[in-house]
Amino acid sequence: MFEDPLLLARLQFALTAATHYVFVALTLGLAPYILTTQLIATVRGDRSRMTAVRFWGGLYLVNYGMGVLSGLVMELQLALNWSGLHAMFGYTFAAPLALETMTAFFVESTFLGLWIFGWDRMGRWAHLACFAVVTTTAYVSAWWVLVANGFLRDPVGFTMVDGVAHLTDPVALMTNPAATMAFGHVVTGSLLVGALVIAATSAHHLIGGDDGHGIFRRGIRYATLVLCVVPIPVAGFGGVQFELFDQAPPTSGLTYTATEIEAIESAAENGVLLQAANMTGDAVMMTAWTLMFLLGPVLLAAWPLGGLDRWRWLLAPLVLTPLLPYLASVGGWVFRETNRQPWTVVHHLTTADAVTPLSPGTAVVSFGFFTLAFAALAVITFWLLVRYARRGPDGGPLAERRTGEPDDPAASDGSQEPTAPVHTF
């Protein structure tokens, strides 16, 4: 393996993309719940729900920061390792990615900053509007990424000029079924990720009887509703993609170069490995999805009996359930990507032609660096999320600071008793 730069480049991208998606899925899954909770809190003037916004928003903030870092690193390795893709399809494939960068790193980050530092400094409706922009741009950003990925699977809306693809039909690019169906699948799948992270955190605190604000009681009920409703559209969007892309596109009338013919023959020789990866991804996805589909009715049946608040035998296993949507997502991604090999852009650019010419030594160094970087990001993020989730609403990064706490200069001599929170909601 260490003597094959192409295999190392593919494996490197698989690891970095899968790790980055872990952050993206939680961002997309948490944002709607936080936005809805803040809307209700703003309309009702509900302090307990605003405390919930601060708690879940703190987890969102940690995850988002690591998502940005991993996204930057992933784009760097995409530019370094896949120069052939950019040389031929830079005007088409890269265009949605450029828009995604502008959306995520400028608009979304700016309004998230306003939301973070705007507590007690702006009106409650303006503060709510900031997070509404954050939520919207998060989904727009995901949309542009899937437009780019959909182009690889079903290239449309371009023409070749001197060996370089030029975009001629942006509408066809944005309405590509490979993008629209994937977007629906990813969005609904991300809602499951967010719901089960909320369920796991809520179950941990409910087991310990720590729910003075009602945050976790409401959280586990939200997760129950999502688990009863969302798996159906997840399966629907996935089923449509099975019908559209579960077989290689027709090849009649296409002429291949000698390099492409060699890549196709090589893929046929390695078909057992590709098929094994393809089937494994499909099996993992379907198994995890089935378990989630069964979990919703169980929680719903326990709801009227009070089991969601006090049955330890039901709550304890929920702490581990976030693994299910993550496994399903990564398994589905493996199935989707291996299913189009040996092509990077189906019937136009093979993976062998897309990769940057690298010596085995350079490929090993690149693989080692990026793998270690992403492993570190994943471990740090997991540790921070677990740490703040276990601390509860009074210990998160956005927790409401009260006068009289140790970091408050006014109380440094111990002469002042803690008073009410500063926040005016």
Side-chain angles (χ1 to χ4, degrees), residues 27-300:
T27 295
L28 296 176
L30 280 181
Y33 182 65
I34 297 171
L35 179 63
T36 303
T37 303
Q38 185 169 358
L39 174 61
I40 296 172
T42 301
V43 171
R44 296 181 179 179
D46 189 332
R47 292 186 57 82
S48 67
R49 280 187 168 82
M50 193 55 68
T51 301
V53 172
R54 284 182 176 271
F55 174 68
W56 299 117
L59 300 184
Y60 181 94
L61 175 60
V62 170
N63 181 76
Y64 179 86
M66 291 302 182
V68 170
L69 287 175
S70 64
L72 289 171
V73 177
M74 190 177 72
E75 289 195 1
L76 175 62
Q77 67 94 34
L78 179 63
L80 292 175
N81 283 4
W82 302 97
S83 59
L85 173 62
H86 297 292
M88 182 176 289
F89 290 97
Y91 294 124
T92 50
F93 166 77
L97 293 181
L99 291 170
E100 186 274 336
T101 300
M102 294 175 62
T103 301
F105 297 145
F106 291 95
V107 181
E108 186 178 357
S109 297
T110 297
F111 279 88
L112 182 60
L114 290 172
W115 185 75
I116 293 169
F117 297 105
W119 293 93
D120 306 313
R121 293 178 174 84
M122 63 173 65
R124 58 182 182 176
W125 289 103
H127 192 249
L128 173 66
C130 286
F131 200 78
V133 174
V134 170
T135 302
T136 302
T137 50
Y139 280 84
V140 171
S141 178
W143 162 252
W144 286 122
V145 170
L146 290 170
V147 167
N149 182 266
F151 177 83
L152 301 180
R153 185 64 183 84
D154 185 18
V156 295
F158 72 98
T159 185
M160 299 296 295
V161 179
D162 296 328
V164 177
H166 291 265
L167 184 63
T168 57
D169 191 349
V171 174
L173 182 68
M174 292 186 289
T175 58
N176 188 348
T180 56
M181 293 299 103
F183 180 73
H185 195 57
V186 165
V187 165
T188 51
S190 296
L191 290 176
L192 289 175
V193 171
L196 285 175
V197 168
I198 291 171
T201 305
S202 299
H204 170 77
H205 287 278
L206 288 171
I207 289 173
D210 176 23
D211 193 22
H213 298 281
I215 294 172
F216 306 114
R217 178 178 57 82
R218 291 190 295 268
I220 204 165
R221 282 158 174 72
Y222 164 78
T224 298
L225 293 176
V226 171
L227 284 168
C228 288
V229 174
V230 173
I232 297 173
V234 170
F237 285 116
V240 171
Q241 291 183 85
F242 266 111
E243 293 191 13
L244 288 175
F245 306 114
D246 193 25
Q247 54 186 346
T251 59
S252 59
L254 294 172
T255 302
Y256 299 116
T257 65
T259 304
E260 291 171 340
I261 293 173
E262 182 181 352
I264 295 171
E265 292 175 347
S266 176
E269 294 173 0
N270 297 319
V272 174
L273 293 177
L274 283 174
Q275 187 65 19
N278 189 288
M279 293 178 63
T280 300
D282 186 29
V284 169
M285 176 182 63
M286 296 301 294
T287 301
W289 178 86
T290 300
L291 292 174
M292 287 185 286
F293 186 83
L294 296 174
L295 181 59
V298 172
L299 294 176
L300 187 63

